[in-house]
Amino acid sequence: MARTMLIVFMPFACGYFFSYFYRTVNAVVAPYLRQDIGLGPADLGLMSAAYFLSFAAFQIPLGLLLDRYGPRRVQGSLYCVAALGALLFSLGDSVTTLVLARAMVGFGVSGGLMAALKAIVMWFPLNRVASINGWYMAFGGLGALAATAPVDLAMQIMDWRQMFMLLAAITLVIAALILLVVPERPGSAATGSLVSQIKEIGQIYRDPFFWRIVPLMFTCSGSYLAIQGLWAGPWLSEVDGFSQGDTAFHLTLMAVGMIVGVLSSGLFAASLQRLGFDMVGVCGFAAAFSILGMLLLVSDVLPSSYLLWTYIGLVVALTILVFAALSHHFPISQAARASTAANVLVFAMAFAYQWGIGWVVEQWPMAADGSYPKIAYLWAFLAVTATQIVAFVWFIWPTRGRARG
């Protein structure tokens, strides 16, 4: 068990750490990008969201490749692309170059979670999979944590270009570790034709159960990714008026809340199941707590901003339980493709939210100091919250067709 953790779990976990680091670091480095490159909110949103677009676009092919060629070869190769994207980002001096580089990074880390989930199922006893999945997700939280206050401190001794050059080198080392250290598992490749596997994806997307529960995830998790990855920083600095250091500290609390939420998600689900709720009901409660976090943010009724941002990180992480609900509904042979089918929607929505928030904010005039009024951010975040509420109403709305699904 210890050897398997070392040669299978740790190489993938290190990659997932930096996958989340790339995902969230723009919330801290955004002021430097705006100053050096001259990015406006819409350009900044598009540049940052390019990560989510390429990430989402590759999810369906990713599931097929993982089943046919295994996580070692697929994700090891993809991290090489991420390293090249980070290097290009460090050299970028235009919006176009930064968007392309960011898209390459998103493509390269697109299998950071799914590849590892498959590897864990392949190499670990089934009775340990749930707990090991939780530990693995915590590495993503640690990556988000490292992209907050530590990055703010790093900016005192290096610039953002040097940081991304360093990230490129580290990502390449991780790719080499996965390709050279992680072993192959004989007999783990998928059987059946590629055509039959693709047809099963179509069956998943036609399933009424899928469309009842997944909108909860792609609205709540997608908005969280967009806000944590970029717009939490401008909200904290331009709406709440915090300094760069205070902003980074609030982002740190958000990341800590995410780590706690991921590690306690199993306990949360088990507690509700003991009260008689199935996994569908558990997901409904998780989404309700997530929507409450957004309502608390836009209403500004909590006396402590520290408590607010910790709570947001804590509860939004619970929506990952939708993956568990899908695994309960679909057969094991389709579980991975059901997860990637949901994941593509999560990251597509994250792209739409991250770019859309910037577009909404830019509809208001910019102040002389380069900031935007509070009302601009408020309307943008209210629009995001409205989509979550619509998804929740759809989830609880009683219709015969979806009830049968």
Side-chain angles (χ1 to χ4, degrees):
M1 179 72 172
R3 183 175 182 273
T4 307
M5 289 291 291
L6 182 63
I7 66 174
V8 176
F9 179 88
M10 287 306 300
F12 282 106
C14 290
Y16 193 53
F17 176 96
F18 283 100
S19 172
Y20 241 99
F21 187 98
Y22 282 122
R23 189 179 301 174
T24 57
V25 69
N26 281 354
V28 176
V29 302
Y32 303 100
L33 294 172
R34 293 173 73 170
Q35 178 180 346
D36 293 349
I37 310 295
L39 301 181
D43 288 337
L44 190 63
L46 175 61
M47 179 274 296
S48 193
Y51 170 107
F52 296 119
L53 183 62
S54 60
F55 195 114
F58 195 60
Q59 286 303 293
I60 300 302
L62 173 68
L64 296 171
L65 290 171
L66 288 174
D67 282 341
R68 297 188 73 84
Y69 300 108
R72 180 187 71 85
R73 283 182 285 179
V74 172
Q75 194 53 43
S77 301
L78 286 173
Y79 278 140
C80 294
V81 179
L84 183 60
L87 179 61
L88 180 62
F89 195 92
S90 72
L91 302 174
D93 57 2
S94 68
V95 175
T96 302
T97 304
L98 294 179
V99 167
L100 175 61
R102 182 78 174 162
M104 290 175 64
V105 171
F107 176 84
V109 302
S110 61
L113 176 59
M114 297 301 160
L117 294 182
K118 184 172 179 65
I120 290 169
V121 170
M122 288 166 52
W123 286 98
F124 290 91
L126 288 178
N127 63 340
R128 301 296 302 274
V129 166
S131 60
I132 293 172
N133 281 351
W135 300 341
Y136 186 82
M137 296 290 291
F139 270 80
L142 291 172
L145 182 63
T148 56
V151 169
D152 188 51
L153 291 174
M155 290 295 96
Q156 310 305 315
I157 59 174
M158 67 175 71
D159 62 24
W160 63 272
R161 296 184 185 275
Q162 294 169 328
M163 184 182 70
F164 274 90
M165 286 183 183
L166 179 61
L167 285 171
I170 294 172
T171 306
L172 193 60
V173 169
I174 293 171
L177 281 175
I178 292 175
L179 289 169
L180 300 176
V181 175
V182 176
E184 287 287 352
R185 186 74 170 182
S188 60
T191 58
S193 68
L194 180 62
V195 173
S196 65
Q197 288 181 285
I198 294 174
K199 286 182 178 178
E200 288 179 356
I201 295 174
Q203 294 170 3
I204 290 168
Y205 276 123
R206 289 193 298 270
D207 192 301
F209 176 86
F210 181 92
W211 288 110
R212 178 190 177 193
I213 194 170
V214 169
L216 292 178
M217 187 179 187
F218 67 65
T219 54
C220 293
S221 293
S223 62
Y224 171 78
L225 292 172
I227 292 170
Q228 184 195 38
L230 177 62
W231 293 112
W235 176 282
L236 287 162
S237 61
E238 297 185 22
V239 176
D240 292 337
F242 291 120
S243 67
Q244 182 71 10
D246 287 336
T247 295
F249 182 68
H250 281 79
L251 294 173
T252 300
L253 291 177
M254 189 180 186
V256 170
M258 175 195 166
I259 295 171
V260 175
V262 166
L263 291 176
S264 61
S265 60
L267 179 62
F268 173 81
S271 299
L272 288 175
Q273 286 175 319
R274 282 195 294 269
L275 294 175
F277 295 96
D278 60 8
M279 279 304 303
V280 175
V282 170
C283 292
F285 274 101
F289 285 126
S290 175
I291 295 169
L292 176 61
M294 287 296 296
L295 292 172
L296 290 172
L297 175 62
V298 297
S299 62
D300 195 26
V301 296
L302 282 183
S304 170
S305 60
Y306 301 128
L307 178 62
L308 170 64
W309 288 94
T310 303
Y311 175 83
I312 291 172
L314 174 70
V315 297
V316 177
L318 295 175
T319 56
I320 63 168
L321 292 167
V322 170
F323 284 131
L326 292 174
S327 68
H328 285 201
H329 177 74
F330 290 99
I332 294 175
S333 61
Q334 296 181 359
R337 272 161 286 173
S339 294
T340 54
N343 218 28
V344 66
L345 297 173
V346 171
F347 282 86
M349 284 301 296
F351 166 80
Y353 284 136
Q354 202 161 74
W355 189 12
I357 289 172
W359 181 85
V360 172
V361 168
E362 213 167 68
Q363 302 311 301
W364 276 261
M366 181 176 62
D369 62 357
S371 64
Y372 284 81
K374 177 179 179 179
I375 189 65
Y377 289 98
L378 188 61
W379 274 108
F381 278 49
L382 279 171
V384 170
T385 308
T387 63
Q388 297 175 346
I389 294 173
V390 169
F392 189 78
V393 171
W394 170 256
F395 169 75
I396 63 175
W397 195 266
T399 63
R400 294 178 182 176
R402 290 194 299 112
R404 285 197 301 269

